[in-house]
Structure formats: C-alpha cells, structure tokens
Amino acid sequence: QVQLVESGGGLVQAGGSLRLSCAASGGTFSYYMGWFRQAPGKEREFVAGISWTGGTLTYAESVKGRFTISRDNAKHTLFLQMNSLKPEDTAVYYCAAGSIGMKIDNYLYWGQGTQVTVSS
C-alpha cells in the first residue's frame, strides 16, 4: 500500500510560480507517477505524468511549456514546478501512482490533494 502526501499549494498571483511536492511511503516508488487537478464543478483532469526513469514525460496541452514534472527516486518524491500560473489553473492538485496513461483508471494510489489558487 502506497501513501502519497502532497504539499506546496497556496495562493499566488497570476504570472507567479509554485512548486508542488508529493512524498511517497509504504511501498515501492517504481510506479508511473502523475499529477491531476480538479477545479470546482469540474471533473478531475490529467496534468502531467512521468515514468520511473524520467525518460517519458507527458503533459496536458493546457500546461505545456509552463509546468514541469520531475521525480527524485532516492527520496521517493514527485514534483510539479508550475510557472506562469493563470487563474484557470486554480484547482485541487493530486498526485497519483499507477501505470502510464492520462486516465484516472490507470492510477492505483492517490494523495489527499493540495489547493492551488491563482488570483487575477
């Protein structure tokens, strides 16, 4: 059983940056890891994903060029660097562990989420 705990969310002005972290414990970290987000009244959506080696990176079109996913396997930690933030990036951000893909069903384990709010 893998436990995932996100941190790093907060309130930031449009154009600003935040770095989210996701600490994994309780099992292997050799999963494909992903970040999802869910805005109020909307479905949870894929943001970015990264393979165990870091050699395969996938991004949603809406965040390409602004967000960067990375991982530190030695520390069992996943990151999401978010730059040039926009109000539409406001959401609860979740990290997840599973198999490669952009669908929620690909992921077995989920964190509790961290709130990101971008003011205009």
Side-chain angles (χ1 to χ4, degrees):
Q1 187 78 9
V2 175
Q3 290 83 45
L4 302 172
V5 179
E6 303 94 337
S7 61
L11 174 64
V12 64
Q13 289 187 333
S17 299
L18 281 175
R19 189 191 195 203
L20 305 183
S21 299
C22 172
S25 62
T28 179
F29 191 58
S30 61
Y31 290 98
Y32 187 88
M33 300 294 295
W35 286 100
F36 286 75
R37 66 186 182 186
Q38 188 166 17
K42 295 187 177 180
E43 294 186 352
R44 192 170 299 189
E45 64 176 2
F46 175 83
V47 174
I50 184 169
S51 61
W52 162 251
T53 64
T56 300
L57 304 175
T58 306
Y59 294 96
E61 285 295 327
S62 60
V63 305
K64 277 184 180 178
R66 300 187 299 121
F67 291 10
T68 302
I69 188 171
S70 62
R71 63 192 295 166
D72 183 335
N73 291 334
K75 296 183 178 179
H76 286 201
T77 304
L78 178 72
F79 302 100
L80 184 68
Q81 178 66 44
M82 305 186 295
N83 299 328
S84 302
L85 282 161
K86 304 175 181 180
E88 51 263 44
D89 294 318
T90 295
V92 177
Y93 283 71
Y94 300 88
C95 71
S99 57
I100 189 169
M102 301 172 66
K103 296 182 179 180
I104 291 174
D105 290 347
N106 287 88
Y107 296 83
L108 298 172
Y109 303 105
W110 293 83
Q112 83 290 346
T114 186
Q115 177 71 46
V116 171
T117 303
V118 184
S119 64
S120 57

